[in-house]
Amino acid sequence: MEINDFLKNPGEQKFEVDLGLTLIKILQITNTNQGYLRSVLKRQLEIQELIKGNVASNENISEKLSEIENLIFKFSDEEFQNVLNKVLK
């Protein structure tokens, strides 16, 4: 079934979703995206260090990466709580 067919007549059609499979797929995509974004962020930090003229050491990059990830996770948690509060009202 095409999405346009479903949207034209949503009441006339049955649409089944396997929730378990859907959740597993979401987790898979999330993990892939997280790994991808982490590698991009790490590379950006390495490039910034090279532009400054510093030798990009793995320890220095890992420390900065950890700091940035902590800020991102903190912001994400706060944003999630705000969205969740709006949904639950």
Side-chain angles (χ1 to χ4, degrees), residues 3-51:
I3 188 68
N4 290 334
D5 296 334
F6 178 76
L7 292 174
K8 287 178 186 175
N9 301 311
E12 297 176 14
Q13 312 220 357
K14 291 185 180 183
F15 191 72
E16 295 180 20
V17 174
D18 183 345
L19 282 177
L21 185 60
T22 302
L23 290 173
I24 289 171
K25 189 65 175 172
I26 290 170
L27 286 172
Q28 178 189 22
I29 291 169
T30 301
N31 285 337
T32 301
N33 287 342
Q34 184 178 10
Y36 175 74
L37 292 173
R38 190 171 200 281
S39 69
V40 169
L41 183 57
K42 183 178 178 187
R43 185 67 180 142
Q44 286 178 335
L45 290 171
E46 290 169 351
I47 291 169
Q48 282 180 342
E49 289 300 310
L50 291 173
I51 288 173

Side-chain angles (χ1 to χ4, degrees), residues 60-74:
N60 189 21
I61 298 299
S62 294
E63 189 177 301
K64 287 184 179 185
L65 184 60
S66 181
E67 290 173 12
I68 292 172
E69 285 178 331
N70 288 337
L71 289 173
I72 291 170
F73 291 141
K74 181 181 176 191

